[in-house]
Amino acid sequence: MEKQDFLKLKNLEKDSDLNLLAVPASGLQKYFKLKGKFTSKEKFDSIVSRTGHVNKNKLTIVLNSKSHGPMMRFDVIGTDHNDIPTPHLHIFNGGESIMDQTVLSSDELPEQLKKCVNNLDNIVEDFTLFLQFIHVDLNDVQITADFV
């Protein structure tokens, strides 16, 4: 995906198909759909995952464009990898493989995401910050966390 397409899709104002978005309990993941607020033909899928292999409490949020494929993965809580501490943001550069990516370390994160911390006490706030970062209208949306 070209950088200008990525930025256009990321910055597009979006609506959620649900009025209640919940961060799943440890070991689970949830899917939710987003669409362009003023351009409903643009559709997105997002996954909020707490299914870590090493760290069962991990929190990862994925954003995929229906028209352009994988866009980003935000590892908020989890194990460091490739000497990059968590939180960090994977930006998929398009092409044939999600291996073609840029990883932004915590120091390189956009300002909004720098407020996210690798701490279970903040998962609702961190999820909210990510949704704001990708321009989801949260006016009529309640965000909670499932703990089972």
Side-chain angles (χ1 to χ4, degrees):
M1 170 180 338
E2 297 290 324
K3 186 174 183 174
Q4 66 187 18
D5 291 333
F6 175 89
L7 291 173
K8 177 183 166 195
L9 291 170
K10 181 198 131 338
N11 293 329
L12 181 73
E13 288 189 54
K14 300 168 190 73
D15 281 324
S16 169
D17 64 339
L18 301 171
N19 291 337
L20 177 65
L21 298 175
V23 177
S26 180
L28 300 175
Q29 63 184 14
K30 290 194 174 194
Y31 296 83
F32 63 93
K33 297 185 179 304
L34 303 169
K35 66 180 182 301
K37 186 171 183 154
F38 303 110
T39 324
S40 60
K41 69 178 180 138
E42 289 294 349
K43 297 184 185 321
F44 303 86
D45 290 325
S46 189
I47 304 167
V48 181
S49 178
R50 305 274 319 278
T51 58
H53 299 289
V54 176
N55 181 348
K56 298 295 184 194
N57 289 314
K58 87 172 212 167
L59 174 61
T60 294
I61 309 165
V62 176
L63 179 66
N64 296 316
S65 162
K66 289 276 199 173
S67 60
H68 289 78
M71 292 184 61
M72 65 181 80
R73 183 181 91 209
F74 187 36
D75 294 332
V76 185
I77 298 173
T79 308
D80 301 345
H81 53 272
N82 298 335
D83 297 323
I84 300 174
T86 304
H88 56 264
L89 180 67
H90 299 255
I91 298 175
F92 301 114
N93 300 326
E96 298 298 314
S97 168
I98 61 169
M99 299 309 290
D100 181 13
Q101 61 182 283
T102 301
V103 180
L104 302 179
S105 68
S106 55
D107 293 339
E108 301 169 308
L109 289 175
E111 283 305 313
Q112 266 182 303
L113 298 181
K114 283 185 178 181
K115 298 174 188 171
C116 296
V117 294
N118 194 347
N119 182 320
L120 284 175
D121 294 335
N122 292 351
I123 60 174
V124 170
E125 293 87 351
D126 293 346
F127 183 42
T128 302
L129 287 170
F130 180 79
L131 293 171
Q132 291 169 338
F133 172 68
I134 62 169
H135 301 280
V136 176
D137 182 352
L138 299 176
N139 285 327
D140 296 319
V141 176
Q142 180 183 358
I143 301 171
T144 64
D146 293 339
F147 292 103
V148 283

